Structures are given as structure tokens and as C-alpha cells.
Amino acid sequence: MEEIFKNSKASSSSSSSALVKDQEEMNKKIEEFIATLPVESDGSALFYQFKGCWYPNLFSVLTIQGTITADLLFKAQDSDIILASTPKSGTTWLKSLIFSIVNRKRFPPNKSPLLTTHPHILIQFLEIGHYRNGNIPRNLDQLPKPRLFATHSHYASLPRSIRHSSCRIVYICRNPLDNLVSLYHFRRSFGKNQPEMDTMYENYSRGLTDFGPFWDNILGYWQASLDKPEEVLFMKYEDLKEDIVFEMKRLAKFLGFPFSVEEENEGLVEEISSLCSFEILKNLEVNQTHKPYREGGVSANAFYRKGEVGDFMNHLNPSMVENLMKITQEKFAGSGLVFKYSLNKLHNS
Ligand code: A3P
């Protein structure tokens, strides 16, 4: 891997013919490198393990390839904002909130691009979007500042230039029970031949899940948020559900776009939270369609299902619940991290 990094000439500033040649060479080396990584199947998709994180091949997307390309080529700017998350933890919601908060002077809620554009287009993933399958994006320098990006990678496997910059990282996660159920439904939206719940649960429990192990994904960002609170903000889906106004103000302040007293008095926080609410976003035409949100992507509506805390009760049996809570308790022991499993009750996990 370090060898590819040293030898990589491809960059977004190369001329186009040189770029194609360099890109082909680099992709070949990356493919050779990927072939050396541990690989496992969950019964449907293949997963590659890199720096402790399981990268899935989903649809036509090889997330490992995009991850390595981004690691080699992405040049973070200190003003960048990176949204990191475990998949199915509220990424789509947080993308909508961050986009709206940061761009509220350009786009007041009634003129928001969210009304006509899928949140995953407005803030794209590095590994799944910009650097998808080894693509080299050429326009990242032209994006409006602060540039907004997303990733599902672990903190330890973020592109090196992010870790060496002082850009802001907002992380969101969710309790493992609702997370697993959400993931199960998401995978079923891909069509037939997706694992049944029993298989998904088994794989999830041993860490084999998209960008898993789930607990490691969380613990890296949790520790980083404790070490560098000015650079990493740690958020939970359940907290957003419980008190969206409080969480939005915390988020806006962290991002360097705090709400002014006038904005608060005018009800702007509530207006943005309403625009980004599950009920509003889910029912917009752009988010209701079965069509992919981008070419070769997942159906636009697969990102909006139920949007509740505690839906696991309808899908997991008591022994699954008990076992996942036990694993979570063991993994998070001494960390101070707890999750809510319903909005009225705090469990010690
Ligand atoms: P459920 O499957 O439990 O309904 P991600 O965006 O990380 O893929 O996570 C998807 C989960 O967030 C899904 O959970 C989805 O319904 C929920 N979700 C999407 N948009 C939301 C919103 N605006 N508010 C609350 N939950 C939302």
C-alpha cells in the first residue's frame, strides 16, 4: 500500500491523457493490492478487510477501491466538513441538516435544493461517490467552501490527508439493534439473494457488516471526539430524534455556523428541522422514487423506511436482542458510551 502511495503519479491536476494512463496504472496496482487483503462473503456480498474495517462490494460499487484511491489522492482543506457514519445510522438525515445549516444564507428552507435533489447527491461519499471504483474527480477544488464530504470509513482508515488536516468531522451512529434492522431492510431493497435476518445477525455479531465491525467503527470516532473535541463531533440518531433543536444548535456551533439570536427568534432552527424531518423528506418526489438516486446506485427511496427508535422489537427475537446488547456492553466497557433503545428508557450498554 505504501508502495502505491509513493509511486502514485495520478492526481486531479494531471493533464487528461496523462491522467488516464496514470489512473489505469494506479488502478492496476490497487487491484493487485486488494487481491492480497482478507476477503469474506456474507452469503451475498464480498467484503474486503483493510485496516480493520470491512469494505463491502455493493451493487457495482467496490468500496475498498474508492477508499484506497481517496486515501492516495484526496487533498483535504482545513475548512472541509466531513460527515462520517456507520451505514444506516441517520447519514441521510445528517447530510440534509449539515447542507441546510451551512448553506442557509444561499438557500433558505423554502428554496432549498433538498426539495428537488437527493441528500446523497448534495453531499457525496468519498469512497462511494467521488472516488467510486477508482474514479479520479477533477472538480473538487471548485466546490463551494466549506466543501462537504461523507464517508463510512473507520477513523483509523480515513484518507491520510483528512487525519493530517484540521477539518471538522461530524460522526453519527445509532444503537446496534435498530442499526441491524435498518441494514437488513436496506439490503432487501437491493432485490433477491440478500441474506435472511438470521444470517445477517450472525455476521453482524462477529463484526462482518458494511464498514464494520460496528463497534470498532464507533469507538474510533468516540475516542477522537474525546481527544479532539474541536475537530470531531460525536452524535447519536436517538438524540436527534429526542431533541432535534438542541442537537441542531450544537451541530451548527461546532460547524462554525452558529444560529444567531435573531435566527432563533425567527424560528429558523425549527424551519430547517421541519424541512429535514423524515415525514417531509420521505414524501418529496425526488426521494419517493424507486429509481436509483444516481447512476448505478441504490433506489432513492431505500434511504427512507420507518425512521423510528425501537423498531428492532418488531424484527429481532429476545435472544438476538440479549446477545447484541451483551456484546455492546462488553465492547464499550469503560468507554462511557451508552445508547438509547427506546426514547423513554436508557439502557447501560
Ligand atoms: P430505518 O430503516 O430504521 O427507518 P442512513 O441514512 O445512514 O442510510 O440511515 C437510514 C435510516 O435513517 C433509516 O432508518 C431511515 O428511515 C432513517 N432516516 C432517513 N431520513 C431520516 C430523517 N430525515 N429523519 C429520521 N430518520 C431518517
Side-chain angles (χ1 to χ4, degrees), residues 88-93 174 182 237 276 278 303 305-307:
K88 315 325 292 171
S89 291
T91 321
T92 316
W93 190 8
R174 180 184 201 182
S182 185
Y237 183 87
C276 299
F278 181 76
F303 295 91
R305 190 184 63 91
K306 213 161 177 185

Side-chain angles (χ1 to χ4, degrees), residues 241-271:
K241 287 296 281 187
E242 196 164 52
D243 192 344
I244 184 67
V245 169
F246 177 82
E247 291 296 311
M248 277 178 63
K249 287 191 203 165
R250 193 165 84 94
L251 172 63
K253 191 164 171 226
F254 171 81
L255 294 175
F257 292 83
F259 288 103
S260 66
V261 176
E262 294 75 42
E263 285 177 322
E264 285 191 22
N265 290 342
E266 284 164 9
L268 185 61
V269 187
E270 288 78 3
E271 243 187 285

Side-chain angles (χ1 to χ4, degrees), residues 163-272:
R163 281 180 283 125
H164 296 153
S165 77
S166 51
C167 54
R168 289 178 173 90
I169 299 173
V170 182
Y171 183 71
I172 188 162
C173 58
R174 180 184 201 182
N175 82 57
L177 306 178
D178 286 329
N179 182 254
L180 169 61
V181 168
S182 185
L183 190 62
Y184 167 76
H185 287 284
F186 185 67
R187 288 288 295 275
R188 298 205 85 71
S189 75
F190 291 16
K192 292 181 186 141
N193 302 327
Q194 295 303 318
E196 293 300 329
M197 179 56 99
D198 283 359
T199 310
M200 282 208 65
Y201 158 78
E202 291 293 339
N203 286 327
Y204 191 96
S205 305
R206 66 188 181 94
L208 186 69
T209 185
D210 301 4
F211 301 90
F214 172 82
W215 304 274
D216 297 9
N217 193 315
I218 293 174
L219 281 170
Y221 287 96
W222 173 249
Q223 192 54 49
S225 75
L226 299 178
D227 295 343
K228 299 189 270 186
E230 65 297 339
E231 283 179 28
V232 183
L233 179 71
F234 192 93
M235 305 192 87
K236 296 182 205 154
Y237 183 87
E238 295 80 12
D239 293 343
L240 264 71
K241 287 296 281 187
E242 196 164 52
D243 192 344
I244 184 67
V245 169
F246 177 82
E247 291 296 311
M248 277 178 63
K249 287 191 203 165
R250 193 165 84 94
L251 172 63
K253 191 164 171 226
F254 171 81
L255 294 175
F257 292 83
F259 288 103
S260 66
V261 176
E262 294 75 42
E263 285 177 322
E264 285 191 22
N265 290 342
E266 284 164 9
L268 185 61
V269 187
E270 288 78 3
E271 243 187 285
I272 294 177

Side-chain angles (χ1 to χ4, degrees), residues 28-88:
K28 195 161 163 279
K29 286 192 184 129
I30 292 177
E31 277 162 28
E32 284 165 7
F33 173 71
I34 291 173
T36 68
L37 295 175
V39 60
E40 279 215 38
S41 164
D42 73 350
S44 164
L46 280 185
F47 290 70
Y48 292 87
Q49 194 180 47
F50 175 56
K51 296 190 186 171
C53 178
W54 284 110
Y55 290 91
N57 280 0
L58 294 176
F59 265 34
S60 52
V61 183
L62 281 70
T63 58
I64 181 66
Q65 181 140 12
T67 298
I68 294 176
T69 313
D71 190 12
L72 295 171
L73 299 181
F74 180 64
K75 292 193 174 55
Q77 299 173 2
D78 285 341
S79 59
D80 287 346
I81 292 171
I82 313 288
L83 190 178
S85 62
T86 45
K88 315 325 292 171

